[in-house]
Amino acid sequence: MSINFRNLILFGAMALALILTGMFQSWTLSLTILNMCLISAVMALGVNIQWGYAGLFNVGVMGFTAFGGLAAVLVAMPPVNAAWAAGGFGVALGLMLGAASIFAAIIVWKRMAPGKARVVALIAVLVLGYVLTRMIFAPAATAIMRVNPATEGYLGGLGLPVVLSWPVGALFAAGLAWVVGKIALGLRSDYLAIATLGISEIVIAVLKFEGWLSRGVNNVSGIPRAVPRPVDLQSRQWVQELADRFGFSIPEMASIVEKLGYALLFMAVLGVLIWLSEKALNSPWGRMMRAIRDNETAARAMGKDVTRRHLMVFVLGSGVCGLAGAMMVTLDGQLTPGSYEPLRYTFLIWVMVIVGGSGNNWGAVLGGFIIWFLWVQAEPAGRWAMDTITSGMGADSALRAHLMTQAAHTRLIMMGLALLLMLRFAPRGLIPER
């Protein structure tokens, strides 16, 4: 097996950037960036599976990530017994009635002969189902949200270890992708993009406004940690000894140990995913997917079920994004539905894949590291640059004050510039597809 020294240099440069950040800024910041780089790399892998393997243009990454993050709440948070007593049964019954209404509408559509009678019957089933569902569901949901709304006001979860929410988050996102894929994968690529974007916004709207499920814009905080908190680690003798040995304060050492623990967990997940992705990409299945991506007509002529294969890849990639979403909520310790924005959770992930090299798993990982590092460091770098440029101006200069205020937007300029430069000088990415 030949060693690609260019790839080693690229990853080595990325590691050096993180080390220099620790040396000249702080090791806590460096490890925080590292953890988010690892999660971003997992997200980029998910998008790369869809786009790089099969050419599927998914613009709804944000929705699948958020849906995976919801799993951390439903799995790890303890159940709110008072909320369950107030309206748990009503919500469950309402959801079942809603699902039964949809199922009945499908049966009506399939069993009845085409014509006005079928349309009338379909509308009647849906309207009746909606009315019955709202009659039962709405009062129950309202009762739940009135239970100690300052800190609870939702049903809670199962109270299980938070790490179990990671595969559950992948299953949540994969299930959503299967539903979306069954509807939208027969559409043209531009229509698929519109459909996934719409579904993504629907998911975020549900998380924001269905407080009984996720507390909505009130957020869910205090999600159990996968690694002990720094405040709990400070009393450990071995942490105190490490602080003395390396010259850190005990609180800083405890924070470093916590972030190192998360980094090891995330590295293990990323390592398993990259190994599985490489095995899949270099297998007959992977070669078949790339053949479908390059020429669907020829693949259909060879007897391949293109739509089914696209559905499979769409589900797999979305599941990986959901896994990353659950990991990120675990790291943050809270679910904040209002923070999910397309710029951060869709556009930025696509930039990672394009810059790293679509179709190459290692390229997607490298892109995840580089782009997230630039995203975090662009703002302080912009402030330093603006401060240097305007150092000759007076302290009361309106132009200097304006430039310093706008320095926060440097990250957007840097992301656009990085994307333009890559498309111009390395359109296949830093580590192109082999």
Side-chain angles (χ1 to χ4, degrees):
M1 182 178 178
S2 60
I3 299 176
N4 191 319
F5 289 101
R6 179 176 176 276
N7 295 353
L8 289 178
I9 291 172
L10 289 171
F11 277 100
M14 187 65 247
L16 179 62
L18 289 170
I19 292 172
L20 292 176
T21 299
M23 294 174 61
F24 292 101
Q25 290 180 275
S26 77
W27 289 105
T28 301
L29 173 62
S30 178
L31 289 171
T32 300
I33 295 174
L34 172 62
N35 284 325
M36 283 306 303
C37 283
L38 290 166
I39 293 174
S40 299
V42 173
M43 284 192 213
L45 266 180
V47 174
N48 186 60
I49 289 172
Q50 295 173 339
W51 174 251
Y53 291 16
L56 297 178
F57 191 31
N58 177 12
V59 194
V61 180
M62 173 183 67
F64 297 107
T65 302
F67 205 48
L70 177 64
V73 174
L74 300 183
V75 170
M77 291 299 288
V80 181
N81 294 325
W84 276 101
F89 176 76
V91 163
L93 181 58
L95 291 175
M96 287 189 290
L97 280 174
S101 301
I102 295 173
F103 184 68
I106 293 173
I107 292 177
V108 166
W109 187 259
K110 288 184 176 181
R111 297 288 179 86
M112 292 186 67
K116 292 183 179 180
R118 183 170 73 168
V119 174
V120 171
L122 178 67
I123 294 174
V125 168
L126 290 176
V127 170
L128 179 62
Y130 175 78
V131 170
L132 290 176
T133 300
R134 292 299 299 175
M135 286 176 58
I136 296 174
F137 178 85
T142 302
I144 289 171
M145 290 185 284
R146 287 176 177 169
V147 175
N148 194 12
T151 57
E152 294 174 336
Y154 76 124
L155 291 174
L158 299 176
L160 299 174
V162 71
V163 176
L164 295 179
S165 70
W166 299 0
V168 173
L171 289 175
F172 276 15
L176 177 63
W178 184 85
V179 174
V180 175
K182 293 293 285 186
I183 299 170
L185 281 179
L187 304 175
R188 280 179 3 201
S189 59
D190 49 349
Y191 293 158
L192 174 64
I194 294 170
T196 53
L197 178 61
I199 292 296
S200 174
E201 292 295 338
I202 290 172
V203 170
I204 300 303
V206 169
L207 294 183
K208 283 183 179 179
F209 300 113
E210 296 298 329
W212 62 273
L213 178 67
S214 61
R215 295 201 74 228
V217 294
N218 293 322
N219 305 332
V220 178
S221 58
I223 295 176
R225 314 284 285 185
V227 176
R229 301 172 187 271
V231 68
D232 299 323
L233 289 170
Q234 291 179 29
S235 60
R236 308 287 175 87
Q237 183 177 354
W238 60 274
V239 173
Q240 298 172 4
E241 292 174 354
L242 285 175
D244 291 336
R245 179 178 302 176
F246 293 104
F248 294 110
S249 65
I250 293 177
E252 185 178 9
M253 191 71 241
S255 179
I256 290 173
V257 170
E258 181 215 24
K259 288 172 172 55
L260 279 174
Y262 277 114
L264 292 175
L265 285 174
F266 296 160
M267 285 179 186
V269 172
L270 180 59
V272 171
L273 286 176
I274 195 74
W275 179 76
L276 292 173
S277 299
E278 284 291 283
K279 286 289 186 181
L281 187 61
N282 297 315
S283 68
W285 178 86
R287 291 190 288 272
M288 176 191 64
M289 290 309 310
R290 283 180 286 184
I292 292 175
R293 176 198 65 189
D294 295 337
N295 195 326
E296 285 189 23
T297 304
R300 291 183 191 276
M302 294 295 293
K304 302 300 181 184
D305 190 341
V306 174
T307 303
R308 182 182 177 188
R309 300 303 178 186
H310 278 173
L311 179 61
M312 180 187 300
V313 169
F314 189 67
V315 168
L316 287 174
S318 299
V320 173
C321 291
L323 169 64
M327 292 165 60
M328 185 170 59
V329 170
T330 301
L331 178 65
D332 294 340
Q334 59 181 354
L335 175 69
T336 55
S339 68
Y340 287 96
E341 299 177 352
L343 175 64
R344 163 67 183 89
Y345 294 98
T346 296
F347 170 74
L348 204 62
I349 306 303
W350 272 98
V351 174
M352 294 172 185
V353 174
I354 293 170
V355 169
S358 63
N360 190 305
N361 295 313
W362 290 106
V365 171
L366 179 64
F369 273 75
I370 291 176
I371 296 303
W372 182 256
F373 182 84
L374 293 177
W375 181 258
V376 172
Q377 296 287 34
E379 184 174 343
R383 291 186 182 279
W384 173 83
M386 291 298 179
D387 187 54
T388 302
I389 293 170
T390 61
S391 58
M393 300 180 184
D396 58 346
S397 171
L399 177 59
R400 185 177 193 275
H402 173 74
L403 291 176
M404 291 301 296
T405 302
Q406 298 302 312
H409 300 293
T410 307
R411 59 173 42 167
L412 302 177
I413 298 174
M414 185 172 288
M415 290 302 102
L417 183 61
L419 185 57
L420 286 174
L421 290 175
M422 288 303 304
L423 292 175
R424 172 61 182 87
F425 297 105
R428 298 180 61 202
L430 293 172
I431 306 179
E433 181 181 5
R434 294 189 296 272

